[in-house]
Amino acid sequence: MYEPVIGLEIHAQVLTDTKIFCGCRTRFGDPPNTHVCPVCAGLPGALPVLNRRAVDLAARAALALGCRINARSEFARKNYFYPDLPKGYQISQYDQPLASAGLVEIPGAGSRVRVAITRVHMEEDAGKSLHEGFHDSAQHTYIDYNRSGVPLIEIVTEPDLRSAADAATFFETLRRLLVWLGVSDGNMEEGSLRCDANVSVRPAGTKTLGTKTEVKNLNSFRHLQKALEHEIARQVELLADGGRVVQETRLWDPAGARTVAMRSKEEAHDYRYFPEPDLPPLEFSAGRVAAIAEALPELPHVRRARFVAEYGLSDNDAGEMTRSRGMADYFEETARRA
């Protein structure tokens, strides 16, 4: 009998009007390549300037996830070549992230599941490759750089999840929290929230991790659960038949209800990280952290417990009333007037 081991990497676009290192708009749906400047297009000599609101929103999310905001963090260049990456590198954070060591609890089968947060770091998004919708899409790929430089936070969990259902529940819980905080709009259809899942299987009761695969770019709770269910079953079948799991990146094919190989990851890719020379280290004073923490709203799980204690709701009804901050505010205002 095999046990799955799952960790998630979730990318969320933060709610700013402008990009992380320039003044271009972040508005979705405008004509391609209309929100591009020398900075986000990666032209020589253009210098990045960090968006303070993006930093504050990232810290807001990290604190709500129980993380420690690091007094000093650094931006780094993650070097790789892809057509939608105009500079030839992505400005991200590597060994000195914004925040680390958080914890989230979610409902599981019969008990609460504790999921440790490894890190929360900031980075810029890449552009978007357009593979269809044009008369010559069979021969050409088009590039839209409107998303290039849009501010993201990446939330990385420890491999604490043991089922596809729990992974989907965690993803849904995290989305609800980010929207509740006003950190992200959580619009998965527009690409504001995306999830990569790392999954392996091992004999139940053992501690050694199996060989993992990464399932990329999942943009719905249902797709995440279905992709993990398929990938777990695929890996178990391989091992039961005497085969071995290959470390690789895979994609979810909804039409075929299966994961398909994208690229091999037999060896770690060398991104040649080095500190971003055009941005100074990001320093957080204790006072700034305290001010952001003080401004946090009452969090969903806290408000849910209060609704049970103060208004006599069942836990299930309190959960429904706190599915969104707007619903919770409406319920509470109605209860006060009753």
Side-chain angles (χ1 to χ4, degrees):
M1 186 173 181
Y2 288 92
E3 170 189 59
V5 179
I6 302 165
L8 302 181
E9 300 171 7
I10 295 169
H11 296 81
Q13 179 180 335
V14 299
L15 276 173
T16 58
D17 292 329
T18 56
K19 295 183 181 181
I20 190 169
F21 300 122
C22 67
C24 291
R25 311 300 290 182
T26 58
R27 191 167 52 231
F28 178 83
D30 286 349
N33 299 309
T34 53
H35 300 311
V36 183
C37 74
V39 174
C40 55
L43 298 186
L47 296 175
V49 177
L50 183 58
N51 184 327
R52 182 183 178 92
R53 175 165 171 77
V55 175
D56 286 344
L57 289 174
R60 184 179 176 91
L63 288 172
L65 291 167
C67 293
R68 177 187 70 249
I69 303 295
N70 296 316
R72 177 189 172 100
S73 58
E74 288 189 357
F75 286 96
R77 292 187 179 182
K78 180 180 180 180
N79 295 274
Y80 64 96
F81 176 77
Y82 205 72
D84 61 15
L85 194 69
K87 294 192 289 286
Y89 60 86
Q90 176 190 32
I91 300 179
S92 182
Q93 292 185 310
Y94 181 48
D95 57 345
Q96 297 190 56
L98 176 76
S100 51
L103 184 68
V104 174
E105 288 193 358
I106 61 170
S111 63
R112 304 287 290 179
V113 176
R114 294 164 61 89
V115 182
I117 306 298
T118 309
R119 57 189 281 147
V120 176
H121 69 258
M122 303 182 67
E123 63 185 21
E124 61 179 343
D125 206 350
K128 185 176 182 180
S129 298
L130 306 173
H131 303 290
E132 55 187 27
F134 299 93
H135 70 281
D136 56 352
S137 289
Q139 291 81 35
H140 297 94
T141 293
Y142 288 79
I143 305 292
D144 178 9
Y145 288 123
N146 280 352
R147 285 195 63 87
S148 179
V150 163
L152 303 177
I153 53 173
E154 181 172 347
I155 300 164
V156 181
T157 79
E158 290 291 311
D160 289 342
L161 295 155
R162 295 293 178 266
S163 74
D166 284 350
T169 297
F170 178 87
F171 192 19
E172 184 175 7
T173 300
L174 185 61
R175 178 192 179 276
R176 188 182 308 161
L177 178 62
L178 294 175
V179 174
W180 183 286
L181 295 168
V183 167
S184 176
D185 64 14
N187 192 322
M188 291 185 278
E189 290 184 357
E190 295 179 359
S192 297
L193 191 67
R194 314 188 291 271
C195 179
D196 302 335
N198 294 292
V199 56
S200 63
V201 297
R202 65 187 179 190
T206 63
K207 298 297 183 183
T208 303
L209 295 175
T211 302
K212 70 177 180 181
T213 60
E214 181 182 30
V215 186
K216 294 282 286 185
N217 292 329
L218 298 159
N219 64 351
S220 82
F221 313 131
R222 183 173 179 273
H223 284 174
L224 173 62
Q225 182 166 346
K226 293 293 184 184
L228 285 173
E229 287 172 347
H230 175 273
E231 184 58 18
I232 291 165
R234 186 188 73 85
Q235 291 187 21
V236 168
E237 184 177 358
L238 268 175
L239 295 173
D241 290 343
R244 69 182 187 94
V245 176
V246 175
Q247 185 174 338
E248 62 186 355
T249 298
R250 300 180 69 85
L251 295 176
W252 172 240
D253 172 19
R258 62 193 181 120
T259 63
V260 294
M262 177 185 176
R263 60 175 178 262
S264 172
K265 292 186 71 173
E266 281 290 351
E267 297 180 4
H269 189 77
D270 181 11
Y271 290 115
R272 296 180 291 114
Y273 282 100
F274 63 85
E276 169 55 62
D278 294 329
L279 289 167
L282 179 58
E283 296 185 351
F284 257 94
S285 67
R288 186 177 177 189
V289 173
I292 295 172
E294 181 69 23
L296 284 176
E298 187 177 29
L299 298 180
H301 68 281
V302 176
R303 203 165 191 186
R304 177 175 182 163
R306 183 168 64 79
F307 279 8
V308 172
E310 190 172 325
Y311 297 105
L313 297 182
S314 68
D315 187 63
N316 184 65
D317 287 346
E320 289 301 313
M321 290 300 102
T322 54
R323 290 190 69 82
S324 74
R325 194 170 165 187
M327 173 65 78
D329 289 345
Y330 179 77
F331 166 77
E332 197 145 29
E333 182 61 27
T334 302
R336 286 197 188 104
R337 295 184 180 210

